[in-house]
Amino acid sequence: MKARVIVTLKLGVLDPQGQAIEGSLRGLGFAGINAVRQGKVFHLDLAATDTTAAEREVKAICDTLLANTVIENYAIEITA
Amino acid sequence: MKARVIVTLKLGVLDPQGQAIEGSLRGLGFAGINAVRQGKVFHLDLAATDTTAAEREVKAICDTLLANTVIENYAIEITA
């Protein structure tokens, strides 16, 4: 199975990288941008063959390594 | 409108960060991982009010700043 994990900073946590992109876009002439926030995406190829097991494993992986749950949220999408 | 942009390395482009994560996961005891690839996600808050205009603007933003189209692919999702 394949899993996509999206890790983003929690609301309220300062995102200097997003702010830098926002500033650059304004400098490049893209005026209609209200806000930009940057995060990370991970594509995992799993040996697990059922959705529940895959989801449990990916959740453990996120909590252990991929996300810092103090300042980051993560979302898991499992696909076949 | 809001847009989510996912930027990933093209297939065949070496992803050392993904490989490092894969190695770490194996070291942590997660055995059922065949491959990991890392990418970036951007959440944009746009002033544009119609989907077509928003999509056109975000495409231009991706080509100009967010993705290096020589080695990276991007996917755009527009939501209300």
Side-chain angles (χ1 to χ4, degrees):
Chain A
M1 310 211 74
K2 294 191 188 298
R4 181 165 81 171
V5 176
I6 291 181
V7 177
T8 45
L9 285 168
K10 287 185 180 174
L11 279 177
V13 178
L14 195 68
D15 178 6
Q17 215 166 352
Q19 289 178 343
I21 293 166
E22 202 181 317
S24 297
L25 288 175
R26 212 158 282 142
L28 287 165
F30 294 102
I33 311 296
N34 298 330
V36 180
R37 285 181 79 80
Q38 187 178 348
K40 288 171 281 187
V41 62
F42 303 93
H43 290 102
L44 287 87
D45 188 352
L46 305 163
T49 48
D50 84 290
T51 313
T52 319
E55 202 163 331
R56 198 173 44 232
E57 186 170 29
V58 176
K59 201 181 170 312
I61 287 172
C62 288
D63 287 325
T64 314
L65 186 73
L66 298 185
N68 173 355
T69 53
V70 178
I71 56 164
E72 291 171 328
N73 289 322
Y74 61 83
I76 297 169
E77 295 159 36
I78 306 278
T79 51
Chain B
M1 310 210 75
K2 293 191 189 299
R4 180 164 82 171
V5 176
I6 292 182
V7 176
T8 46
L9 285 167
K10 287 185 180 174
L11 279 177
V13 178
L14 194 70
D15 178 7
Q17 214 166 352
Q19 289 177 343
I21 293 166
E22 203 181 317
S24 297
L25 288 175
R26 212 157 283 143
L28 287 165
F30 294 102
I33 310 297
N34 298 329
V36 180
R37 286 182 77 80
Q38 187 178 351
K40 290 170 279 186
V41 62
F42 302 93
H43 291 100
L44 287 87
D45 188 352
L46 304 163
T49 48
D50 83 289
T51 313
T52 320
E55 204 163 329
R56 200 173 42 231
E57 187 170 30
V58 175
K59 200 180 170 315
I61 286 172
C62 288
D63 287 323
T64 315
L65 187 73
L66 298 185
N68 174 355
T69 53
V70 177
I71 55 165
E72 291 172 327
N73 289 322
Y74 61 83
I76 298 169
E77 293 159 36
I78 306 278
T79 51

